[in-house]
Amino acid sequence: MFSQDYKKGMGHVVLSREKKGEIVAAMAAEPVKPAGRTIRVLIVAAVVCSLLAMTAAAYYMGTFEFLREQNEYAMLGMNEVYETCAQPVGVSVTAENGDVFTVDRVATDGTFCTIFYCLYVQDGTWRYTPRMILRSGGEDISMEGYGNSFENQEYLTDGHTLYGAWRFLLRKPLEDGEQVELELARYGEAEVGGLAPLLWENTLTFSVSPIRGEQFELDAILSARIGGEPVQVEAISLNRSPLGTLLRLRWAEEDTGAREWYDFVLRDGDTGAYIPYDQVVINHYWDPEGYVDSVYELYGDVSGLRNLEIIPNTPVGGQAPRQVVDVASLPSTDTGNLDGGYAPASYETVDGQLIVKMQPVGAVNAWYARLGNGVYFLDSQGNELFDDIFVRKIKNRSDGTITVISTPTEASYQRDVDRVAQIWFFVQKYELLEGRKVVIQLNSQ
């Protein structure tokens, strides 16, 4: 289902004066042909209603340009990268019911394949975006789990048209000019107690031109404790390109079970700068030989990283305490933890949403990035505010900040929005096990 946490009604597209003029001129001059249908557009005045302007902008600019002009979350801090690396494709497939799926651009390296797409549906009903599987030579080469590693950037521009980006994590690198198949399946609304009906299945084929990255084979063993028991963790590889950097670790299946997940801190061994990261949920990480494979994406500029320090950490202090920060004191670096963590950098309200940016400070592990409920809000007396909050978190790959978008009920938003005085969040107390760190020199293969 398309993301409900973005600006409601999509009435705030950010366009330059020149681009708005181009759109209006294009609307007046030619019929617009969006994804398999023709619409006769009347000449409009320079000032148009927000939804019509949004839809016309999408049709005129194309998927990639449309997403680029949206709010700051649209490409997760990677706008400049995709400007350079996303290659035009422009292939479509039409289902029997008239639905049209179009891939506008593709950006690929040895680890990721990001598609920028448009979906036009005839019936104007939305439940889920199509299930997407990437194949090559009949083999499934996509390995991310549900929700994948891109936070599903999706924008509904009218009742029939969805624009979005989907980032596949690849099982193997793709060759220049290689043909890949995008397997699609769209499902309808499920009956009560039943399964969602399959509306259609289709396959769309296009070729890729991957950019070159760096692959580092690692040979290091980390010793730590999970649930009080010793665990040996093997560092397998690190893949780095402008599209993203992935670290792969693995450990024996018998070392997990009901114990706590293995956690650690990353640091540049030359500069001493800590590197924020998060775990990427993948499918099939149970190795046939009895190992658990785990994948992590590094954030920020790590293009110059030559010596990577992996420092295990251990939780301390039992139950996670609350950390309270005054809105008037932002930006804050007070994480509530001695070694580091996340702290609120800014707070704003936009169209019924409460938006808090959490910035990494010092030694950060992946705990906050995995936290489901994000942040909470208090008045000046310490009373809890808002009801039934829906929470969405967006990670910025360029600097590691995490934007927490909280959407309460409309009634409670109107009641409480002017009373917000404090933000609070849970703090995971942990300490670094410096004596167990490993330093890995990255030697390109």
Side-chain angles (χ1 to χ4, degrees), residues 8-296:
K8 297 179 180 179
M10 304 308 298
H12 294 272
V13 61
V14 180
L15 297 174
S16 67
R17 181 178 302 175
E18 290 78 8
K19 188 157 290 184
K20 288 180 180 178
E22 292 173 2
I23 293 168
V24 172
M27 291 170 64
E30 297 288 343
V32 180
K33 297 182 178 180
R37 60 173 181 158
T38 300
I39 297 178
R40 183 67 58 179
V41 181
L42 300 177
I43 297 177
V44 295
V47 179
V48 292
C49 73
S50 60
L51 183 57
L52 181 57
M54 173 71 68
T55 306
Y59 292 156
Y60 176 63
M61 291 189 294
T63 304
F64 182 81
E65 286 77 10
F66 174 78
L67 290 177
R68 182 181 56 192
E69 295 288 349
Q70 298 316 298
N71 61 41
E72 61 187 293
Y73 320 120
M75 294 189 189
L76 308 179
M78 299 176 68
N79 296 53
E80 293 182 3
V81 171
Y82 285 118
E83 285 277 359
T84 302
C85 301
Q87 302 296 316
V89 174
V91 294
S92 300
V93 63
T94 303
E96 292 183 359
N97 68 349
D99 292 356
V100 180
F101 189 96
T102 301
V103 175
D104 180 26
R105 295 198 187 194
V106 175
T108 313
D109 63 3
T111 304
F112 298 106
C113 180
T114 300
I115 65 169
F116 298 88
Y117 68 88
C118 168
L119 173 63
Y120 168 76
V121 298
Q122 288 280 2
D123 54 25
T125 61
W126 294 96
R127 177 59 178 167
Y128 300 105
T129 53
R131 183 201 67 196
M132 291 185 273
I133 299 175
L134 202 64
R135 298 185 181 277
S136 179
E139 178 186 358
D140 182 359
I141 59 172
S142 51
M143 65 181 295
E144 75 286 340
Y146 177 75
N148 78 58
S149 56
F150 199 79
E151 283 82 53
N152 298 4
Q153 302 301 289
E154 298 164 344
Y155 292 82
L156 189 67
T157 63
D158 60 19
H160 297 269
T161 311
L162 182 78
Y163 286 79
W166 187 277
R167 189 190 200 203
F168 292 97
L169 179 62
L170 300 176
R171 295 181 185 279
K172 64 176 185 179
L174 298 172
E175 301 295 329
D176 188 32
E178 184 172 347
Q179 292 283 317
V180 296
E181 304 89 39
L182 182 63
E183 183 180 282
L184 305 164
R186 184 186 173 213
Y187 292 85
E189 188 74 39
E191 298 290 338
V192 176
L195 299 176
L198 176 65
L199 300 181
W200 50 259
E201 291 181 301
N202 257 306
T203 300
L204 185 149
T205 303
F206 53 89
S207 62
V208 295
S209 299
I211 65 171
R212 297 190 62 179
E214 298 175 280
Q215 179 173 337
F216 305 94
E217 300 299 329
L218 309 182
D219 183 17
I221 301 294
L222 298 95
S223 177
R225 302 181 75 84
I226 299 179
E229 299 295 329
V231 176
Q232 300 299 309
V233 178
E234 183 179 359
I236 300 297
S237 64
L238 185 139
N239 293 76
R240 177 172 64 192
S241 92
L243 297 181
T245 298
L246 285 188
L247 172 67
R248 284 180 167 84
L249 304 179
R250 76 175 182 182
W251 54 89
E253 179 180 346
E254 62 194 42
D255 285 334
T256 56
R259 302 174 188 170
E260 299 171 46
W261 198 257
Y262 179 74
D263 229 338
F264 54 91
V265 165
L266 300 177
R267 188 168 62 197
D268 186 322
D270 296 316
T271 67
Y274 290 99
I275 303 170
Y277 73 95
D278 191 16
Q279 183 182 5
V280 178
V281 178
I282 61 174
N283 289 326
H284 313 298
Y285 55 77
W286 298 104
D287 187 271
E289 298 181 3
Y291 288 95
V292 178
D293 285 338
S294 195
V295 178
Y296 305 87

